[in-house]
Amino acid sequence: MIVATAPLLRTQATSVLCTESLLAASDDPTSSLSAVLGTDIVTFSLFIGLAPTGLLAGTTLEAVSNEAGLRSISSPVGIQQQSQYRLRIHWKSSYVQSSPAWPVSSDKEKTLKQVSVDADGIAAWLFGIYKKMFAKEDLSTLFSGLQSMQNKHFSTDMQRYTRAAIVALIRVLKTTILTDWDRVMTSFLDMVESDRTLLVGSNSLQELNMHLALFGVWTLPVLAQGPRRIQKTFNLQLRPGSDVEGVLGGPDPPPIVHISLSVPRKSLQVFTSGPGKISSTPGIHVSVKQQSGDQQYDNCFHTFHCYFGRAFKGGDGGGPDIFEEDDKGWLGSADLVIMCPVPTFGLLTGPRSSLKICLALNTTPENMGLYTQKLGPLLTVFETAMDNRRRVSICEHPAFMNTKSSIASQQKWLQLHTIRTEAMTTATAMLDASHRAKKLAIRVVFIQGSEEAKALASGTSVSVAPASSSMVILQLGDAWSRRLVFPFPVQPSNSKTRIARKSCWIEVEAPIYVANQPDTFDMWTLVHSQPDGSLSLGSIPRVNLDVQPPISSPTKKTKAGSVS
């Protein structure tokens, strides 16, 4: 949810994003949040541009254990209930929250929320998140940890992430991180493809590359154009158009198409009758299987649209599928229709008769124990040949989404939010061996021949004075000064300065600040002055001081005025 909604927030101190999750009473909120994010909270907050207010202020106004306490008091004697409580976290812009009483005065300074990171470092960090997001696909770890997972607040089969989730994260990071993204993606994909721990995940490589293209993040050459245009370049052995019908049989089929699979209602009875009901909501995926000689290929796709009803062609044979939904849902009698995007070249390679489309359960010990007897070892709910016109249809795009225009709009959005000029000053994040952000540095480069460059070369004194939890004043002699604003709270009192007088640059480095470390700034009481004159408190969500009645205090005044 964070990566989907973070771009919607304005860069203001009053903008807040709330997330809620269920925790067992024995769980630690900090470690649970790190587990869900797949990385440490500080690094994630720095890279995403949003941070929990508790991380910035060291305290929160939300009481996280009220529900657990009330349940322990009100629960009837002799009745055992699961001890859970809701954890609400307020996320705010770390850039705005750490700049009190300093209104943003220029567009150049606004872009300081972007941080520069080494390409190899960010690739390794992303791969670490990838492995934690899909740790369930490491069968050895999954089986050994089954007993402990059953005691958690989420089911062993409640998969929180798909490949689209990691791609959505990368999409947002491209707007907040300045680096060589071509190198990042090449290195990251090499790590994913060479990994031998997530064995089940190897069946999802096509899905990962497809979503990278759909989100406009990164497009492999094999997905940049239709498969028939590039079959000679990549030596693809495609079936001739005369052996294929519909959109696949055209002279130039698109690189990505949508499969519509109609699953009979009777195939779903395994979820509504018998012992299978105790599994609640098992994870499912669409599988495209192909037999080529002795080799069998199984490509899995976990992101798709589904509904009860029917699908039929609109317009020509390759036109979008039209959906007619059954409002009764599970209580009705209509089949389950699944609309799933897949790369086209996989449907044109190998013998046509060997292609199978199926709906299957995700491979987990829980699902295997409950459903193997009914569904078999592959946990197949329904399987049919791609030639089954009654159950399978292929279109360029569904009626509710035009794939080509969607990719173009995604690419346009990324270009719009990553505009940068050479004049902008950028903070650089320094990662340690475990790929965690520990320090931030800002380098100011003076133009050769300028008055500042001459003053620096002549030996003029340089001083750095803390101004706030993320701002320092860089002073060059008595006539020149500049505010350096970091994109995340730091410890200005522990900053270090590097000076290159001949090369005409000054670099200020400071360790990243977290609320449980001592410093000279009290994040709890910081009052923020916005460009429009409004006030806000960084650690208090959903409270706009500018619309609250003023309380005069003749004995105590703050920088912001008569607010006590």
Side-chain angles (χ1 to χ4, degrees):
M1 186 180 74
I2 294 178
V3 297
T5 54
L8 302 178
L9 293 179
R10 292 182 178 179
T11 310
Q12 295 179 350
T14 54
S15 300
V16 59
L17 170 65
C18 298
T19 59
E20 281 191 356
S21 58
L22 280 176
L23 288 182
S26 58
D27 286 347
D28 176 66
T30 302
S31 60
S32 297
L33 180 58
S34 297
V36 172
L37 296 178
T39 183
D40 67 294
I41 304 174
V42 173
T43 305
F44 181 85
S45 299
L46 170 65
F47 289 167
I48 207 71
L50 295 176
T53 55
L55 180 69
L56 302 176
T59 185
T60 176
L61 296 183
E62 296 287 341
V64 298
S65 57
N66 285 355
E67 295 183 25
L70 290 174
R71 185 175 291 110
S72 63
I73 297 174
S74 60
S75 297
V77 178
I79 297 180
Q80 184 179 2
Q81 296 185 1
Q82 185 176 2
S83 180
Q84 294 179 324
Y85 64 90
R86 294 185 181 275
L87 175 65
R88 171 173 287 189
I89 300 176
H90 296 92
W91 300 76
K92 286 193 171 187
S93 171
S94 56
Y95 171 68
V96 174
Q97 298 307 311
S98 54
S99 305
W102 290 90
V104 179
S105 58
S106 70
D107 290 337
K108 292 182 179 180
E109 291 181 342
K110 285 183 180 180
T111 59
L112 284 177
K113 64 181 180 181
Q114 294 181 324
V115 61
S116 176
V117 188
D118 174 69
D120 293 333
I122 194 64
W125 179 77
L126 280 172
F127 182 63
I129 293 182
Y130 178 87
K131 293 189 67 175
K132 291 181 180 178
M133 290 176 72
F134 306 107
K136 57 182 174 56
E137 298 173 355
D138 185 341
L139 293 183
S140 60
T141 303
L142 185 60
F143 277 92
S144 63
L146 176 60
Q147 184 62 39
S148 61
M149 292 176 67
Q150 288 177 339
N151 298 325
K152 295 294 184 181
H153 60 280
F154 50 84
S155 166
T156 56
D157 194 41
M158 288 296 290
Q159 300 181 21
R160 292 167 287 181
Y161 301 112
T162 65
R163 263 58 186 184
I166 185 69
V167 175
L169 172 62
I170 297 175
R171 172 179 176 267
V172 173
L173 293 176
K174 289 193 70 174
T175 68
T176 60
I177 293 179
L178 300 175
T179 189
D180 183 352
W181 276 103
D182 288 345
R183 181 168 179 172
V184 169
M185 296 309 303
T186 301
S187 178
F188 170 69
L189 291 176
D190 286 344
M191 295 178 188
V192 172
E193 293 176 5
S194 60
D195 178 63
R196 294 296 177 265
T197 59
L198 306 182
L199 296 179
V200 179
S202 61
N203 293 337
S204 298
L205 289 178
Q206 281 196 18
E207 182 185 29
L208 174 62
N209 288 306
M210 178 190 69
H211 283 299
L212 287 171
L214 288 175
F215 278 81
V217 173
W218 173 264
T219 304
L220 289 177
V222 73
L223 292 176
Q225 302 181 59
R228 298 203 184 280
R229 288 190 181 186
I230 58 176
Q231 59 180 346
K232 292 184 179 180
T233 304
F234 293 93
N235 195 27
L236 297 177
Q237 302 298 322
L238 304 180
R239 296 193 303 277
S242 58
D243 191 33
V244 189
E245 298 179 351
V247 65
L248 298 181
D252 186 22
I256 297 174
V257 294
H258 285 72
I259 293 180
S260 176
L261 175 65
S262 180
V263 181
R265 171 73 67 154
K266 64 180 181 180
S267 296
L268 305 177
Q269 291 179 357
V270 66
F271 304 123
T272 58
S273 61
K277 290 191 296 183
I278 63 176
S279 182
S280 183
T281 53
I284 59 177
H285 64 270
V286 174
S287 178
V288 179
K289 298 180 180 180
Q290 186 178 69
Q291 186 76 34
S292 180
D294 296 334
Q295 298 292 327
Q296 180 172 342
Y297 302 94
D298 187 0
N299 291 296
C300 301
F301 302 87
H302 297 79
T303 303
F304 46 82
H305 298 272
C306 58
Y307 65 97
F308 287 101
R310 69 187 185 97
F312 54 92
K313 288 291 183 182
D316 55 21
D321 277 6
I322 306 300
F323 300 139
E324 186 177 279
E325 187 173 358
D326 181 7
D327 295 335
K328 295 182 180 180
W330 280 100
L331 300 178
S333 59
D335 293 338
L336 177 67
V337 179
I338 294 176
M339 177 63 68
C340 180
V342 298
T344 306
F345 69 86
L347 304 178
L348 293 175
T349 56
R352 175 182 177 182
S353 59
S354 68
L355 276 173
K356 305 289 184 181
I357 312 297
C358 77
L359 178 69
L361 300 186
N362 297 334
T363 303
T364 67
E366 183 183 40
N367 287 343
M368 294 181 68
L370 290 172
Y371 294 103
T372 299
Q373 186 175 359
K374 289 189 174 183
L375 300 179
L378 298 181
L379 302 179
T380 302
V381 178
F382 176 72
E383 179 178 293
T384 186
M386 194 180 74
D387 290 340
N388 188 343
R389 298 181 181 179
R390 181 185 176 189
R391 296 293 177 185
V392 179
S393 64
I394 299 175
C395 63
E396 181 173 353
H397 59 84
F400 56 81
M401 183 183 72
N402 187 307
T403 305
K404 185 180 297 184
S405 62
S406 176
I407 294 176
S409 63
Q410 293 279 5
Q411 293 173 340
K412 183 178 180 180
W413 183 87
L414 281 172
Q415 293 175 357
L416 179 65
H417 288 79
T418 54
I419 294 177
R420 176 176 175 267
T421 65
E422 295 300 326
M424 295 180 182
T425 304
T426 304
T428 300
M430 301 178 181
L431 309 182
D432 61 10
S434 59
H435 312 296
R436 296 187 175 191
K438 294 297 183 181
K439 298 179 180 179
L440 289 173
I442 294 181
R443 177 176 294 188
V444 180
V445 180
F446 300 99
I447 301 176
Q448 291 283 353
S450 64
E451 294 299 325
E452 295 84 359
K454 294 178 182 179
L456 185 64
S458 64
T460 302
S461 62
V462 176
S463 63
V464 175
S468 77
S469 60
S470 71
M471 185 186 302
V472 297
I473 304 298
L474 178 62
Q475 190 75 31
L476 179 60
D478 298 327
W480 185 91
S481 65
R482 176 179 294 188
R483 294 180 297 167
L484 302 185
V485 184
F486 293 88
F488 200 81
V490 295
Q491 290 181 303
S493 57
N494 293 330
S495 63
K496 297 180 180 179
T497 305
R498 297 183 180 90
I499 304 174
R501 297 186 182 274
K502 292 184 178 180
S503 300
C504 298
W505 58 261
I506 302 173
E507 183 178 88
V508 179
E509 175 189 303
I512 290 177
Y513 167 89
V514 290
N516 60 358
Q517 295 177 347
D519 206 305
T520 57
F521 296 98
D522 184 2
M523 292 294 293
W524 170 252
T525 58
L526 289 181
V527 178
H528 302 270
S529 175
Q530 300 305 298
D532 60 359
S534 62
L535 305 175
S536 69
L537 290 179
S539 54
I540 302 181
R542 306 189 308 276
V543 175
N544 297 335
L545 294 184
D546 56 311
V547 298
Q548 303 300 318
I551 302 176
S552 301
S553 175
T555 58
K556 184 178 180 180
K557 299 265 187 177
T558 66
K559 291 182 180 179
S562 299
V563 180
S564 60

